[in-house]
Amino acid sequence: MTVEQNVLQQNSQKHQQTSLNQLREITGINDLQVLQQALKDSNGNLELAVAFLTAKNAKLPQPEEATYYQTALPNNDRYISVGSQADTNVIDLTGDDKDDLQRAIALSLEESNRTFRETGITDEEQAISRVLEASIAENKASLKRTHTEVWSDSPNPYDRKRQENCPVGLKNVGNTCWFSAVIQSLFNLLEFRRLVLNFIPPVTAQDVPRNQKEHRNMPFMRELRYLFSLLVSSKRKYVDPSRAVEILKDAFKSNDSQQQDVSEFTHKLLDWLEDAFQNKAEEERDGEKPKNPMVELFYGRFLAVGVHEGKKFENTEMFGQYPLQVNGFKDLHECLEAAMIEGEIESLHSENSGKSGQEHWFTELPPVLTFELSRFEFNQALGRPEKIHNKLEFPACLYMDRYMHKNREITRLKRDEIKRLKEHLTVLQQRLERYLSYGSGPKRFPLADVLQYALEFASSKPVCTSPVDDIDASAPPSGSAGTQPMSSSTESQGPSSSAEPQPSQRSVIHKPFTQSRIPPDLPMHPAPRHITDEELSVLEGCLHRWRTEVETDTRDLQDSIGRIHRTIELMYSDKLMTQVPYRLHAVLVHEGQANAGHYWAYIFDHHEKRWMKYNDISVTKSSWEELERDSFGGYRNASAYCLMYINDGEKHLIQEEYDKETGQVLTGMDTLPHDLREYVKDDNRHFEKELEEWDKEQLRKAEQEKMLISQKTLKPAPSAAPAALKEPEYMEQPTRPELSSEIKEETASAITRAVTDSEDKGPEAVLRTAIKTEYARLLKLAQEDPPPEIDYRLQHAIVYFIQSQAPKKIIERTLLEQFADRNLSFDERCHNIMKVAQAKLEMIKPDEVNMEEYKRWHKDYRTFRETTMYILIGLELFQNKSYAEALLYLIYGYQYNKELLSKGVYRGHDEDLISHYRRECFLKNNDQAALLFESGEMEKVNNGLTLMNELVVPCLPLLLIDETDEKDIVAVEDMRNRWCSYLGQEMEPNLQEKLTDFLPKLLDCSTEIKGFNDPPKLLAFSTHELCERFARIMLSLSRTPADGR
């Protein structure tokens, strides 16, 4: 057999195993014989095979008819490739028309064979190309969109500039978060990175591609090298992978669209890389069998040992990504144990048995060990795949010794011991359960507590009367409780409360710690009516003894259970079973449902010894705690989908490259070959030019603004200022703050009182007295505890300063500014006082009052008033059900308020109140958009999606960025679940396409704000109007029932 024939045979076998894995995941059927028969009947066509298996009248064999022998056929490679979706353009095979069935099979075979003959491309590869083509189309279409996309580039190139030593991100070019997660995980394997960067295409491929694979692989390897080189030394914060994706798309021809599956893409990517390096290896071989570095790095072997119908078999198989079932297991070791044993393994060690089963033992582990966690299963009742959200733990260091062939004898002994211990554990847990849940009825209690309750009852003071007579006798003479039946309200208030309150009394307020007290003459518990001292003594002795015995038994059982758990946990911790450590390198996470979601990766930085989160363009520091929360499952619909471990003993996998002459570590550009170095330098030059053009543009705009300002300054000032239509506002204050009409009135009133009270009628004495009078008034307001609808801080800055503990000098200068106002009054007396105040202001030396600090305090007060306006306008719009308009006001109000509160608790408003209505506004907008989408009318659908894309989605990170507020996280999950629920529903193809396009944006877990509207413009409010509207909105909120969310 020639080399080419051998390669074709291996590829055929790999494709068959891949198809079996896909069928198992799509249909949920684990019977290998049924899957193989369906694949055989459909001649390898996945769509037809799925239709056969999911048809209503499909007859499945009984479990005892299943066989395991076929999985151990020679050269049957075990690969992973799940999540492939069936083509929607298929003939209906669920009916009884056999002609339609035969015609569909014939058409499918003819089309499949014709395509394979013409291109050499399999159906699975075509499915991948459909996704890639859709991604490129999405990227091109995004350039034509007018609204801000989640992943749109910032016009300011400095926002896209890479920070020093920060890893480079990858731009999501349209449903390609799976691409980013996989590529970043592989790129951060330094050995893999070196292999790609130093790859030199074989000479024959550079001339004329010999076949379709070379025509596909060589351009892809070129673009992958370019992409890796940019990830190494680009000056950009993130780079665009479109060209690499373009190459993948151009290799196939299709027009379908779906979001790609991570494991399927990884499997296919490694296949392409393997082919590319295989061509190179065959050219470089010197009479020896060529070694493929991709195979050496990612592929291992295991031995399948088993029995089929009494006949033993043994076979070695190759594996790449190792598939593991998640459902029903709590940690990775349990998954591995289940995957390594199939069927009845007792028969493996017996001579005469008809049972079937097999064990898997690793004979050779790859340096990079990848596990695919199968979190999708096919729901036969609903006819669609569903995601498994169960929690599954995995360690940072995984010891693989127990699964190695060389340790199989000792592992079998330990497994037998663990099995025996677990059987013993089950018995002990059942016994303990009888102690902890005692009783024969529906309600059960711990036996020790039951005995204690019986002891308390027996020891209670005996009573001679019935409990009803006792209560009647204890009722007050004037009350009616003794003559009327006891109502529930009477019981809750106690016997001393009156059944009918007097008209003059206020309404009764329930006070549980005062009104529910039981009178001291009543027993606290029920008690026996007759018991002798001798009976009580015997009973107490028995109950005490029994309770002690029960507590001792319970404690012994718990201790035994704990010891067995520890023994099982430490079963493989001896030195012999900790010789093959694998360190966790990367975790690929999926958030969402089976049909759509978002991918990102946690990757360990071996140089800095910390975890990093790679989420498309965002690369941030992370922690093991965050990884656990997002990867183990059971939280926010996010869970690990793929685990990448590396052999801890093979340091070259993560070792930096050294200069052969100097011995120094090579970094950045020095690690690149000459051709890639020039490529990166050229790209960096383009980016630097973009930065320079931006600087020039900003300088030009600044000069234009400066020119306009100078032209305005040169214009002659008018002889008299026109009368203002409205009082100047504090928030638009000039160098010296103008006063509102209310403050002017209070100032004039303070001067009038000062003239009356002061013996010395001189302006300076009157000013001193007036300032004291005004300060006393403001201090009293600051110390009051007003109702929620009144906020004295809005009336005067000094109230805000006093409550916020501003420095005394700031308050004094602010008071002087108030009395120095030029427009205070036309009264001669006030005019003289104004002159004195202005003179005192001019006498203040620079070192007496820090003017920078003074300006900061007044700026904070202006921000406080602006924040108040954002909040009250947002709340008014919310109450008027203008949720879209209200959202931005509430968002900015919350953000500004949070900044103020970070400086002091009295600097802003109630954060919980604003957070609640901001959250509710998000939910209301989401509900409106969802209802528009459900209408099915294209105009309404577009309006709903525009609302989500332009307003809701860009603002979602604001709810996720502070993870201490669980209610915000729950609200985001509610919104996402609402849209994900549409995936399983029947809808028009164009609606399905729009939904598929929208969901990745909604499910993006990044907390980076990628597109955000400017704050709404505020109109000028007088102080009186601001206080009045604030009071009105707060009063209306106090009448609104609590939401309960």
Side-chain angles (χ1 to χ4, degrees):
M1 181 182 292
T2 65
V3 173
E4 187 173 358
Q5 289 173 330
N6 186 38
V7 170
L8 285 173
Q9 181 180 355
Q10 290 182 1
N11 286 339
S12 175
Q13 291 168 348
K14 287 194 290 185
H15 179 64
Q16 181 185 13
Q17 185 61 35
T18 298
S19 300
L20 289 172
N21 284 330
Q22 287 178 315
L23 280 177
R24 182 183 292 112
E25 290 301 320
I26 294 172
T27 64
I29 297 173
N30 292 315
D31 193 319
L32 193 61
Q33 186 180 27
V34 174
L35 297 176
Q36 287 180 329
Q37 186 62 42
L39 203 60
K40 181 179 178 182
D41 292 343
S42 63
N43 200 31
N45 186 288
L46 279 177
E47 290 87 351
L48 293 177
V50 170
F52 291 154
L53 293 170
T54 57
K56 293 181 179 179
N57 298 325
K59 180 181 179 182
L60 298 179
Q62 297 301 317
E64 58 268 18
E65 296 175 15
T67 176
Y68 297 91
Y69 178 69
Q70 287 84 346
T71 60
L73 292 174
N75 300 321
N76 184 18
D77 297 343
R78 180 174 180 136
Y79 288 102
I80 163 182
S81 180
V82 299
S84 179
Q85 301 293 324
D87 196 335
T88 57
N89 300 320
V90 295
I91 298 173
D92 182 15
L93 301 177
T94 59
D96 298 328
D97 194 336
K98 295 183 180 179
D99 292 337
D100 280 349
L101 178 61
Q102 295 300 326
R103 181 164 55 88
I105 295 174
L107 287 173
S108 175
L109 291 177
E110 181 183 352
E111 178 65 22
S112 179
N113 292 335
R114 180 173 58 81
T115 304
F116 186 80
R117 286 196 304 272
E118 292 176 357
T119 64
I121 306 303
T122 64
D123 292 337
E124 179 192 3
E125 292 167 332
Q126 291 181 26
I128 290 183
S129 76
R130 289 195 286 270
V131 178
L132 297 171
E133 190 170 81
S135 297
I136 299 301
E138 170 65 25
N139 186 40
K140 290 179 178 177
S142 66
L143 300 176
K144 303 176 183 178
R145 293 175 181 162
T146 56
H147 63 271
T148 305
E149 290 290 348
V150 176
W151 49 68
S152 60
D153 290 331
S154 169
N156 185 350
Y158 284 96
D159 293 339
R160 295 179 271 116
K161 187 178 180 181
R162 179 184 183 182
Q163 297 178 1
E164 189 176 0
N165 297 326
C166 182
V168 179
L170 284 172
K171 183 181 178 181
N172 189 330
V173 295
N175 292 351
T176 56
C177 49
W178 48 269
F179 179 88
S180 302
V182 173
I183 290 297
Q184 291 282 23
S185 301
L186 295 174
F187 170 78
N188 282 280
L189 277 173
L190 299 187
E191 179 64 15
F192 180 85
R193 184 193 304 180
R194 284 189 287 269
L195 286 171
V196 171
L197 292 174
N198 296 312
F199 176 84
I200 301 175
V203 179
T204 55
Q206 287 177 337
D207 296 336
V208 178
R210 294 178 297 183
N211 53 45
Q212 182 69 22
K213 285 187 176 180
E214 283 190 4
H215 182 76
R216 173 195 69 196
N217 292 335
M218 294 307 111
F220 171 70
M221 285 303 300
R222 179 182 67 249
E223 292 303 329
L224 189 61
R225 291 179 74 236
Y226 288 158
L227 183 60
F228 271 31
S229 65
L230 291 175
L231 290 175
V232 170
S233 296
S234 177
K235 291 186 178 181
R236 303 175 189 268
K237 179 183 177 182
Y238 57 89
V239 294
D240 191 332
S242 295
R243 292 174 64 178
V245 178
E246 282 269 11
I247 294 296
L248 293 174
K249 184 267 298 185
D250 288 340
F252 315 101
K253 302 298 177 186
S254 67
N255 54 12
D256 198 3
S257 128
Q258 67 182 39
Q259 183 162 2
Q260 186 59 303
D261 177 86
V262 163
S263 60
E264 184 178 354
F265 169 71
T266 308
H267 164 67
K268 191 51 61 179
L269 175 64
L270 293 179
D271 268 359
W272 292 329
L273 292 168
E274 180 186 346
D275 291 339
F277 278 92
Q278 185 66 31
N279 293 334
K280 182 182 177 184
E282 288 177 0
E283 287 201 352
E284 294 177 352
R285 67 176 175 176
D286 235 357
E288 299 179 359
K289 185 178 180 181
K291 288 188 176 181
N292 190 316
M294 290 295 111
V295 175
E296 298 287 325
L297 198 58
F298 293 102
Y299 292 94
R301 294 183 182 276
F302 67 86
L303 182 69
V305 183
V307 175
H308 174 64
E309 295 180 355
K311 296 179 181 179
K312 293 185 177 181
F313 64 87
E314 186 172 304
N315 188 64
T316 300
E317 302 179 29
M318 181 179 281
F319 71 94
Q321 294 172 263
Y322 202 83
L324 296 175
Q325 294 294 325
V326 169
N327 209 6
F329 306 110
K330 68 177 183 179
D331 59 42
L332 187 61
H333 277 300
E334 286 192 1
C335 296
L336 276 166
E337 289 282 354
M340 303 302 281
I341 302 174
E342 297 180 10
E344 299 288 339
I345 63 170
E346 290 86 352
S347 59
L348 296 177
H349 315 296
S350 60
E351 295 297 330
N352 301 314
S353 175
K355 295 182 179 179
S356 299
Q358 64 173 308
E359 293 177 334
H360 292 169
W361 299 98
F362 292 118
T363 56
E364 182 183 345
L365 288 173
V368 182
L369 180 59
T370 307
F371 296 111
E372 177 216 339
L373 304 182
S374 179
R375 285 192 170 272
F376 297 116
E377 62 181 4
F378 192 83
N379 188 318
Q380 295 279 7
L382 298 177
R384 65 171 184 260
E386 290 184 339
K387 186 178 178 183
I388 301 168
H389 295 292
N390 298 353
K391 184 176 181 180
L392 183 83
E393 298 180 1
F394 48 84
C397 181
L398 178 69
Y399 291 98
M400 294 295 294
D401 303 77
R402 70 182 80 174
Y403 311 110
M404 300 301 295
H405 180 256
K406 63 181 180 181
N407 298 324
R408 65 175 177 176
E409 295 303 326
I410 188 170
T411 299
R412 281 172 177 167
L413 292 175
K414 287 180 179 291
R415 284 176 179 170
D416 290 341
E417 178 63 13
I418 289 175
K419 183 179 179 181
R420 185 189 66 79
L421 288 172
K422 286 185 174 180
E423 290 173 352
H424 186 201
L425 185 66
T426 301
V427 175
L428 292 178
Q429 287 173 333
Q430 290 173 348
R431 291 179 180 176
L432 178 63
E433 183 65 18
R434 293 172 183 171
Y435 280 92
L436 298 179
S437 299
Y438 185 81
S440 57
K443 292 185 178 181
R444 304 191 177 200
F445 305 92
L447 180 55
D449 291 349
V450 172
L451 295 173
Q452 177 64 26
Y453 299 153
L455 180 61
E456 290 174 1
F457 173 77
S459 304
S460 298
K461 181 181 177 182
V463 292
C464 298
T465 58
S466 72
V468 176
D469 294 340
D470 190 38
I471 292 176
D472 290 343
S474 64
S478 59
S480 58
T483 59
Q484 294 182 4
M486 294 290 289
S487 67
S488 59
S489 61
T490 307
E491 289 176 358
S492 66
Q493 294 178 8
S496 61
S497 64
S498 176
E500 295 181 10
Q502 299 297 323
S504 60
Q505 292 179 334
R506 297 178 62 184
S507 59
V508 178
I509 301 176
H510 180 60
K511 298 180 179 178
F513 295 107
T514 57
Q515 291 178 305
S516 295
R517 289 178 182 163
I518 300 176
D521 56 336
L522 287 181
M524 293 299 294
H525 301 287
R529 296 195 188 180
H530 304 286
I531 185 170
T532 65
D533 291 341
E534 184 179 354
E535 288 173 337
L536 180 60
S537 176
V538 172
L539 190 56
E540 283 183 340
C542 290
L543 290 172
H544 272 298
R545 185 176 71 253
W546 294 339
R547 186 170 185 270
T548 302
E549 292 171 356
V550 167
E551 288 177 341
T552 302
D553 292 345
T554 303
R555 190 164 50 251
D556 290 345
L557 285 168
Q558 291 172 334
D559 291 344
S560 297
I561 290 171
R563 282 195 299 271
I564 292 176
H565 276 301
R566 287 190 293 274
T567 303
I568 293 174
E569 289 173 2
L570 299 174
M571 186 64 70
Y572 294 101
S573 61
D574 54 281
K575 189 175 180 180
L576 184 64
M577 304 301 280
T578 53
Q579 300 298 308
V580 189
Y582 271 75
R583 294 284 173 185
L584 187 61
H585 165 70
V587 180
L588 277 63
V589 180
H590 174 270
E591 181 179 38
Q593 304 299 329
N595 299 79
H598 180 67
Y599 293 100
W600 70 90
Y602 290 102
I603 303 172
F604 190 69
D605 186 332
H606 299 274
H607 180 67
E608 297 292 337
K609 304 297 181 186
R610 68 187 178 203
W611 285 96
M612 301 292 291
K613 182 178 180 179
Y614 289 78
N615 191 353
D616 291 336
I617 66 173
S618 172
V619 182
T620 55
K621 294 178 184 178
S622 187
S623 63
W624 176 255
E625 290 71 28
E626 182 183 0
L627 185 151
E628 278 186 336
R629 186 200 62 205
D630 287 347
S631 305
F632 281 5
Y635 177 77
R636 283 190 359 190
N637 291 344
S639 53
Y641 193 63
C642 189
L643 305 177
M644 192 177 290
Y645 284 88
I646 57 175
N647 192 321
D648 198 38
E650 300 194 31
K651 301 299 182 184
H652 70 281
L653 294 172
I654 54 174
Q655 196 170 38
E656 300 283 354
E657 197 171 352
Y658 291 87
D659 187 283
K660 295 180 180 178
E661 296 179 359
T662 63
Q664 294 181 341
V665 177
L666 296 177
T667 58
M669 203 78 76
D670 295 334
T671 62
L672 302 178
H674 177 73
D675 63 324
L676 295 180
R677 201 174 302 174
E678 293 303 317
Y679 175 79
V680 175
K681 286 180 180 178
D682 184 58
D683 184 76
N684 286 340
R685 279 193 294 269
H686 280 89
F687 186 62
E688 287 169 355
K689 186 178 179 181
E690 189 178 350
L691 292 170
E692 290 174 4
E693 291 175 353
W694 173 266
D695 290 337
K696 290 178 182 177
E697 179 66 18
Q698 298 308 305
L699 184 61
R700 185 183 63 79
K701 289 181 179 179
E703 288 176 351
Q704 288 179 347
E705 290 177 2
K706 190 175 180 181
M707 220 178 208
L708 290 171
I709 292 172
S710 62
Q711 289 173 359
K712 290 179 181 178
T713 307
L714 292 174
K715 290 181 180 179
S719 57
L725 296 177
K726 200 168 188 178
E727 294 283 354
E729 277 308 299
Y730 192 99
M731 64 175 58
E732 299 171 355
Q733 96 178 294
T735 307
R736 181 173 293 166
E738 299 287 350
L739 302 181
S740 68
S741 58
E742 292 82 2
I743 294 179
K744 290 177 186 176
E745 291 173 4
E746 292 293 346
T747 306
S749 175
I751 292 174
T752 303
R753 287 196 300 271
V755 170
T756 305
D757 298 341
S758 178
E759 295 179 1
D760 185 354
K761 305 299 182 183
E764 189 167 347
V766 172
L767 173 64
R768 190 165 49 249
T769 304
I771 286 178
K772 288 181 179 179
T773 302
E774 178 68 357
Y775 179 75
R777 180 183 74 85
L778 297 174
L779 179 63
K780 183 181 179 182
L781 293 180
Q783 292 174 340
E784 283 188 15
D785 185 16
E789 65 270 16
I790 298 176
D791 193 334
Y792 291 125
R793 294 174 299 175
L794 295 173
Q795 297 182 13
H796 205 294
I798 290 178
V799 177
Y800 181 83
F801 293 162
I802 293 172
Q803 290 189 356
S804 302
Q805 299 180 341
K808 184 178 179 182
K809 293 289 185 182
I810 304 295
I811 296 175
E812 289 176 353
R813 183 180 177 90
T814 304
L815 274 170
L816 271 177
E817 293 275 10
Q818 178 177 330
F819 283 90
D821 182 68
R822 296 182 185 276
N823 299 317
L824 187 61
S825 176
F826 295 104
D827 180 80
E828 184 65 26
R829 181 179 54 196
C830 292
H831 185 74
N832 292 335
I833 291 173
M834 175 196 71
K835 289 288 188 182
V836 174
Q838 289 177 353
K840 285 186 175 293
L841 281 173
E842 292 171 2
M843 290 170 60
I844 296 175
K845 297 178 181 178
D847 58 342
E848 291 181 6
V849 177
N850 186 334
M851 289 306 295
E852 292 299 321
E853 185 180 17
Y854 177 84
K855 290 176 182 177
R856 282 199 300 271
W857 275 97
H858 281 270
K859 182 182 179 182
D860 282 353
Y861 183 62
R862 287 197 299 275
T863 304
F864 170 73
R865 286 174 64 98
E866 287 180 358
T867 302
T868 305
M869 292 170 65
Y870 279 121
I871 294 169
L872 71 88
I873 293 173
L875 292 174
E876 286 172 349
L877 290 169
F878 182 89
Q879 289 192 333
N880 293 331
K881 298 184 179 180
S882 301
Y883 304 119
E885 294 84 354
L887 184 58
L888 275 183
Y889 283 98
L890 292 173
I891 284 174
Y892 276 101
Y894 179 86
Q895 293 301 116
Y896 293 155
N897 190 68
K898 190 173 183 179
E899 292 173 12
L900 289 172
L901 290 177
S902 66
K903 300 176 182 180
V905 293
Y906 295 105
R907 297 286 191 100
H909 294 284
D910 182 0
E911 187 174 23
D912 291 338
L913 176 74
I914 311 167
S915 175
H916 169 78
Y917 281 98
R918 180 186 67 156
R919 182 168 57 249
E920 287 300 309
C921 200
F922 267 105
L923 292 168
K924 295 291 186 184
N925 278 293
N926 186 72
D927 289 343
Q928 284 188 346
L931 289 173
L932 289 172
F933 183 82
E934 290 171 5
S935 71
E937 298 178 21
M938 197 50 59
E939 184 178 353
K940 291 184 178 180
V941 168
N942 290 333
N943 289 339
L945 292 178
T946 299
L947 174 63
M948 295 298 293
N949 282 322
E950 294 186 356
L951 188 61
V952 176
V953 170
C955 302
L956 278 185
L958 296 172
L959 295 182
L960 296 174
I961 199 167
D962 185 8
E963 297 185 344
T964 57
D965 194 339
E966 188 67 28
K967 292 180 180 178
D968 283 349
I969 296 174
V970 171
V972 174
E973 287 308 304
D974 287 347
M975 289 186 273
R976 288 173 171 169
N977 290 336
R978 173 87 178 256
W979 289 92
C980 287
S981 68
Y982 298 143
L983 288 169
Q985 301 178 18
E986 293 184 3
M987 63 180 71
E988 296 294 328
N990 56 347
L991 292 182
Q992 186 69 49
E993 183 180 351
K994 288 180 178 294
L995 181 64
T996 305
D997 171 66
F998 165 68
L999 277 177
K1001 305 171 191 176
L1002 179 66
L1003 297 173
D1004 185 357
C1005 294
S1006 172
T1007 55
E1008 182 175 350
I1009 310 298
K1010 301 172 184 175
F1012 203 43
N1013 294 324
D1014 294 331
K1017 299 295 183 183
L1018 293 174
L1019 299 175
F1021 285 7
S1022 68
T1023 298
H1024 175 73
E1025 185 181 3
L1026 181 61
C1027 294
E1028 189 180 62
R1029 289 178 66 173
F1030 181 81
R1032 190 162 54 243
I1033 193 67
M1034 295 304 292
L1035 280 171
S1036 66
L1037 293 183
S1038 67
R1039 292 191 293 268
T1040 304
D1043 179 73
R1045 177 175 291 279

